[in-house]
């Protein structure tokens, strides 16, 4: 079987090496962080993702998977490094250094695939010239393609196999070579195109979602102002066969949807007006939550707030770009005492505590992340611990009946009837 070198062992690279190794490929996982390499070689994982630990153990036991800090010669190289945002532009330094690290090992006939999400033209204008420092020519001596990852955190192992793939080749032959790899483990269809269209299509997917969520967030403010319940209004509107408004919330987090629209805006700032404005609407949502909190705590002396959930979305441990970061920061700057609870998150800039510690002496529970664990909270158990019985739900899932019975004042973001 072919040898594949995967560069970057994060949220995408890690599941990718596990799937490839269990599909018979000889895989070398590369990460510049030695601690990650050690964890992986021990068959462990450093991120939370359903089923990943078991699959990773199977991959290590198969003898097909090894991790190292440096690449080696291989037939295929897959780049899956992060592309964070710096001043609303893509920071491509990891893509650059991963590409550079391949150069000494690149051989005639190799295939290089960029899976990281990048601004349009990155494959042709940044990755290609770096790889050609090897003296080989892309599209002639080696194959180069952009095949963006599209998997949903929390559901990665299923989606990595079942989702359709966009395969953007530098040349049609490059796309066909990349397709050969994905057909070995993907059951979804593959759609062949050029590298730049593939880059743009990936950004469009996440931007579509961001714009839709911005619309929902704007509606949450409109409905609040009009004394309506946005959750009911959206549910009713979505009964139309061609309407699908997403959900409002405390803001958009994660390293994808909150970041990728900027990669379009940086390339066409004059044209991408709606995209930019949607980002601004979503970025303003944490402050809106802070204002709701202030309103509910008006008149309470030395208030304590219990924050339920700091991960960017339900049932994941990831806090990158999480709206909770801004909300906690602003509440703490405003002098509120905080009890921060998240059963999934291990590392957070503020101290985390247990549910009981968080609720003790609290004046308000604010649900920021709708983790499964928070669905079975018992209002009767929490009520006696609290100083003031109040709850604010920013995710709209809560059935408040039990809470009201236990004496709680219950409010919901975007629900003008509850405010
Ligand atoms: N959110 C809302 N309202 C909603 C849906 C989401 O406020 O109705 C918020 C979430 O709470 C979260 C953020 O948006 O903070 C993003 O969550 P998400 O579940 O929509 O998406 P991600 O960032 O976890 O994963 C997305 C996915 N893209 C699409 O669905 C188009 C995934 O398929 C991509 O692979 C991933 O980005 C990526 O890596 O690009």
């Amino acid at each position: 079987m072919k040898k594949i070198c995967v560069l970057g062992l994060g949220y995408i690279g890690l599941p990718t090496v596990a799937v490839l190794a269990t599909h018979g490929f000889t895989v070398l996982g590369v990460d510049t962080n030695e601690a990650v390499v050690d964890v992986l070689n021990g068959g462990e994982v450093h991120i939370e993702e359903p089923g990943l630990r078991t699959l990773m153990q199977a991959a290590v036991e198969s003898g097909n998977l090894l991790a190292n800090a440096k690449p080696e010669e291989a037939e295929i190289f897959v780049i899956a490094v992060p592309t964070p945002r710096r001043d609303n532009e893509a920071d491509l330094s990891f893509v650059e250094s991963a590409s550079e690290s391949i150069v000494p090992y690149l051989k005639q006939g190799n295939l290089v695939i960029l899976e990281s999400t990048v601004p349009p033209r990155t494959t042709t204008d940044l990755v290609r010239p770096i790889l050609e420092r090897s003296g080989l020519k892309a599209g002639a001596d080696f194959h180069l393609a952009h095949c963006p990852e599209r998997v949903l955190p929390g559901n990665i192992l299923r989606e990595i196999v079942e989702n359709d793939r966009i395969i953007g080749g530098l040349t049609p032959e490059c796309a066909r070579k990349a397709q050969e790899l994905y057909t070995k483990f993907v059951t979804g269809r593959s759609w062949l195109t050029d590298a730049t269209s593939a880059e743009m299509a990936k950004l469009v997917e996440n931007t579509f979602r961001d714009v839709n969520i911005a619309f929902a967030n704007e509606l949450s403010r409109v409905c609040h102002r009009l004394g309506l319940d946005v959750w009911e209004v959206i549910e009713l509107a979505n009964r139309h066969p061609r309407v699908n408004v997403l959900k409002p919330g405390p803001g958009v987090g994660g390293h994808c949807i909150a970041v990728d629209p900027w990669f379009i805006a940086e390339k066409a700032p004059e044209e991408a007006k709606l995209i930019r404005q949607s980002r601004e609407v979503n970025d303003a949502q944490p402050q809106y939550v802070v204002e709701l909190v202030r309103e509910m705590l008006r008149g309470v002396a030395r208030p304590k707030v219990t924050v339920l959930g700091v991960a960017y979305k339900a049932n994941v441990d990831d806090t990158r770009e999480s709206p909770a970061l801004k909300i906690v920061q602003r509440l703490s700057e405003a002098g509120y005492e905080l009890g921060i609870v998240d059963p999934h998150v291990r590392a957070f800039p503020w101290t985390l505590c247990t549910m009981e510690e968080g609720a003790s002496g609290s004046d308000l529970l604010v649900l920021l992340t709708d983790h499964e664990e928070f669905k079975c909270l018992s209002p009767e158990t929490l009520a006696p611990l609290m100083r003031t019985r109040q709850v604010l739900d920013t995710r709209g899932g809560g059935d408040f009946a039990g809470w009201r019975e236990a004496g709680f004042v219950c409010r919901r973001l975007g629900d003008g009837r509850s405010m």
Side-chain angles (χ1 to χ4, degrees):
M1 253 312 195
K2 289 196 164 156
K3 180 165 173 184
I4 306 187
C5 186
V6 177
L7 295 103
L9 297 174
Y11 283 86
I12 300 303
L14 207 55
T16 303
V17 295
V19 169
L20 289 171
T22 50
H23 278 75
F25 289 97
T26 305
V27 183
L28 177 72
V30 178
D31 203 292
T32 48
N33 182 343
E34 300 266 2
V36 169
V37 169
D38 291 343
V39 169
L40 194 94
N41 281 329
E44 288 298 319
V45 290
H46 60 289
I47 58 170
E48 183 186 305
E49 179 61 37
L52 184 58
R53 181 178 300 269
T54 313
L55 190 68
M56 191 54 83
Q57 276 160 358
V60 171
E61 275 161 26
S62 72
N64 290 340
L65 174 63
L66 270 181
N68 205 342
K70 280 203 172 124
E72 288 172 8
E73 282 186 10
E75 280 133 305
I76 302 171
F77 296 89
V78 176
I79 301 174
V81 294
T83 45
R85 172 177 61 133
R86 196 176 41 200
D87 302 329
N88 294 341
E89 290 202 356
D91 172 1
L92 294 173
S93 54
F94 298 111
V95 172
E96 234 175 293
S97 53
S99 307
E100 281 162 0
S101 75
I102 296 174
V103 174
Y105 307 100
L106 200 61
K107 294 268 172 310
Q108 190 91 23
N110 280 174
L111 166 65
V112 181
I113 296 175
L114 176 65
E115 282 208 6
S116 312
T117 305
V118 290
R121 300 200 64 82
T122 301
T123 307
T124 52
D125 294 357
L126 181 79
V127 176
R128 174 187 185 157
I130 292 177
L131 296 176
E132 288 186 340
R133 286 180 206 157
S134 62
L136 301 172
K137 199 162 165 26
D141 300 319
F142 69 93
H143 305 287
L144 176 60
H146 176 59
C147 306
E149 61 80 13
R150 311 164 96 188
V151 288
L152 190 73
N155 207 11
I156 292 181
L157 292 182
R158 190 168 70 75
E159 293 205 353
I160 210 167
V161 172
E162 292 181 8
N163 284 6
D164 284 10
R165 295 293 307 214
I166 302 174
I167 301 187
L170 195 72
T171 62
E173 181 57 14
C174 291
R176 273 191 292 277
K177 282 285 172 198
Q179 184 187 23
E180 272 173 26
L181 169 65
Y182 290 104
T183 49
K184 297 284 190 314
F185 66 94
V186 172
T187 57
R189 288 182 66 180
S190 36
W191 301 90
L192 274 54
T193 182
D194 63 278
T196 309
S197 300
E199 289 165 340
M200 187 64 181
K202 160 70 198 190
L203 298 175
V204 166
E205 292 164 14
N206 282 351
T207 303
F208 166 76
R209 223 165 145 74
D210 197 46
V211 172
N212 192 332
I213 298 167
F215 178 53
N217 281 334
E218 187 163 289
L219 290 179
S220 75
R221 294 156 185 244
V222 171
C223 287
H224 185 170
R225 160 83 31 127
L226 301 180
L228 297 169
D229 175 4
V230 74
W231 305 95
E232 188 191 352
V233 169
I234 290 178
E235 201 184 319
L236 292 170
N238 283 350
R239 299 280 165 187
H240 186 285
R242 286 179 295 284
V243 174
N244 183 21
V245 182
L246 289 174
K247 293 190 181 121
V252 171
H255 56 114
C256 311
I257 296 191
V259 174
D260 298 354
W262 290 117
F263 296 1
I264 298 180
E266 80 174 71
K267 291 289 179 183
E270 285 302 310
E271 292 77 12
K273 292 197 176 74
L274 176 66
I275 293 173
R276 176 179 293 272
Q277 201 172 6
S278 300
R279 274 288 65 244
E280 284 164 3
V281 167
N282 288 336
D283 274 351
Q285 202 69 354
Q287 180 58 29
Y288 182 57
V289 172
V290 169
E291 281 154 24
L292 296 176
V293 168
R294 275 181 196 278
E295 212 173 292
M296 290 182 76
L297 291 173
R298 190 163 295 139
V300 178
R302 296 164 38 84
K304 174 174 174 184
V305 179
T306 312
V307 173
L308 302 182
V310 290
Y312 82 96
K313 68 173 187 177
N315 309 322
V316 300
D317 64 351
D318 193 346
T319 60
R320 284 177 294 174
E321 309 276 335
S322 175
L325 288 161
K326 271 193 206 158
I327 295 169
V328 167
Q329 165 101 41
R330 288 179 193 170
L331 291 176
S332 115
E333 280 165 6
Y336 292 97
E337 190 189 334
L338 295 172
I340 307 170
V341 185
D342 195 307
H344 291 261
V345 170
R346 278 168 280 183
F348 193 64
W350 288 266
T351 312
L352 299 170
C353 63
T354 63
M355 191 61 229
E356 287 66 31
E357 288 163 347
S360 291
S362 174
D363 299 291
L364 174 65
L365 305 175
V366 184
L367 181 82
L368 295 184
T369 314
D370 44 354
H371 287 314
E372 216 45 51
E373 289 83 347
F374 297 141
K375 295 200 172 125
C376 36
L377 288 178
S378 151
E380 300 79 32
T381 317
L382 294 174
L385 300 174
M386 309 243 333
R387 184 167 69 164
T388 320
R389 294 174 189 176
Q390 299 199 89
V391 53
L392 171 64
D393 174 13
T394 67
R395 294 287 183 172
D399 171 9
F400 287 140
W403 293 87
R404 291 208 168 100
E405 264 169 43
F408 278 82
V409 169
C410 304
R411 304 251 152 97
R412 209 153 46 165
L413 175 137
D415 182 354
R417 290 180 182 155
S418 75
M419 297 308 278

